[in-house]
Amino acid sequence: MGTQKFSFKRLIIALNNLIEKGIYKPEDIVMQSTIYDIKPRFTHVGLIPVNEFNQYIQEAELVITHAGVNSIISCMQREKALLIVPRLYKYKEHIDNHQVEIAQLMEKKYNILVLYDTSHLEEMIQKAKLHKYKKWESHKASLIEAIRKEII
């Protein structure tokens, strides 16, 4: 969920509902976040070191992430099952809707599943576990080469 200064209450409520229904056990879900308006009924951690964060991703069956570019790319590089839930301005989850723009781009370019309405979380989790998105392609080398040509 990130370490934003904004709560992600609607996603925590949706995940808590899955625990209450008995679909998942509290230890089945691990969330990294630092701000809570509502207490998660599942495992939650604050800011953790990168290697520990990457270990959680590696071990996960599915990663549900906000539309943070680093989180998305970290999952894609490991080809992890992935579901993006962008933070929405209308719920005061962020300062604007840039996460919606990022999510739409990833959905269009890489065919990643995006969830806007958390009332559909349960079915989207099942879909995301089987869904195949386009493989991540880094453009870092071509960007460096373009910069090198400009400088030299």
Side-chain angles (χ1 to χ4, degrees), residues 18 23-24 61-62 64 81 83 113 120-131:
L18 297 180
I23 295 169
Y24 294 100
E61 177 182 14
L62 166 73
I64 301 171
L83 177 60
L113 295 178
H120 300 290
L121 181 62
E122 184 178 344
E123 55 264 32
M124 285 298 284
I125 286 173
Q126 296 311 313
K127 188 174 179 180
K129 286 179 182 179
L130 303 172
H131 183 76

Side-chain angles (χ1 to χ4, degrees), residues 95-147:
I95 59 170
D96 59 24
N97 274 326
H98 75 276
Q99 287 208 354
V100 172
E101 295 169 8
I102 292 166
Q104 289 171 339
L105 175 73
M106 299 309 282
E107 186 175 33
K108 183 177 179 181
K109 185 169 181 168
Y110 292 100
N111 194 33
I112 295 176
L113 295 178
V114 177
L115 176 66
Y116 299 95
D117 179 353
T118 55
S119 68
H120 300 290
L121 181 62
E122 184 178 344
E123 55 264 32
M124 285 298 284
I125 286 173
Q126 296 311 313
K127 188 174 179 180
K129 286 179 182 179
L130 303 172
H131 183 76
K132 298 294 180 200
Y133 51 82
K134 292 180 185 173
K135 188 174 175 134
W136 169 253
E137 294 178 31
S138 174
H139 300 284
K140 184 177 178 180
S142 60
L143 178 60
I144 290 171
E145 184 58 30
I147 293 169

Side-chain angles (χ1 to χ4, degrees):
M1 312 296 180
T3 55
Q4 309 288 330
K5 63 180 181 177
F6 305 99
S7 172
F8 210 169
K9 183 177 180 177
R10 70 188 168 99
L11 185 54
I12 294 171
I13 290 169
L15 290 167
N16 280 349
N17 287 338
L18 297 180
I19 299 293
E20 289 171 12
K21 289 180 176 180
I23 295 169
Y24 294 100
K25 298 176 196 160
E27 61 272 14
D28 292 339
I29 300 173
V30 178
M31 177 179 77
Q32 178 194 17
S33 186
T34 56
I35 304 290
Y36 307 103
D37 279 352
I38 185 166
K39 184 175 168 92
R41 296 189 175 129
F42 46 85
T43 308
H44 52 282
V45 297
L47 189 59
I48 57 175
V50 173
N51 60 335
E52 190 174 337
F53 176 79
N54 289 335
Q55 187 64 34
Y56 277 118
I57 290 175
Q58 193 61 41
E59 294 173 2
E61 177 182 14
L62 166 73
V63 176
I64 301 171
T65 183
H66 67 155
V69 175
N70 185 53
S71 298
I72 295 168
I73 292 172
S74 293
C75 293
M76 292 180 74
Q77 288 172 330
R78 292 166 178 80
E79 299 181 17
K80 296 306 287 188
L82 177 61
L83 177 60
I84 299 173
V85 183
R87 292 173 176 271
L88 301 178
Y89 174 73
K90 72 179 180 179
Y91 298 119
K92 298 181 179 162
E93 296 167 344
H94 223 303
I95 59 170
D96 59 24
N97 274 326
H98 75 276
Q99 287 208 354
V100 172
E101 295 169 8
I102 292 166
Q104 289 171 339
L105 175 73
M106 299 309 282
E107 186 175 33
K108 183 177 179 181
K109 185 169 181 168
Y110 292 100
N111 194 33
I112 295 176
L113 295 178
V114 177
L115 176 66
Y116 299 95
D117 179 353
T118 55
S119 68
H120 300 290
L121 181 62
E122 184 178 344
E123 55 264 32
M124 285 298 284
I125 286 173
Q126 296 311 313
K127 188 174 179 180
K129 286 179 182 179
L130 303 172
H131 183 76
K132 298 294 180 200
Y133 51 82
K134 292 180 185 173
K135 188 174 175 134
W136 169 253
E137 294 178 31
S138 174
H139 300 284
K140 184 177 178 180
S142 60
L143 178 60
I144 290 171
E145 184 58 30
I147 293 169
R148 182 175 298 150
K149 285 180 181 178
E150 285 296 318
I151 294 173
I152 298 176

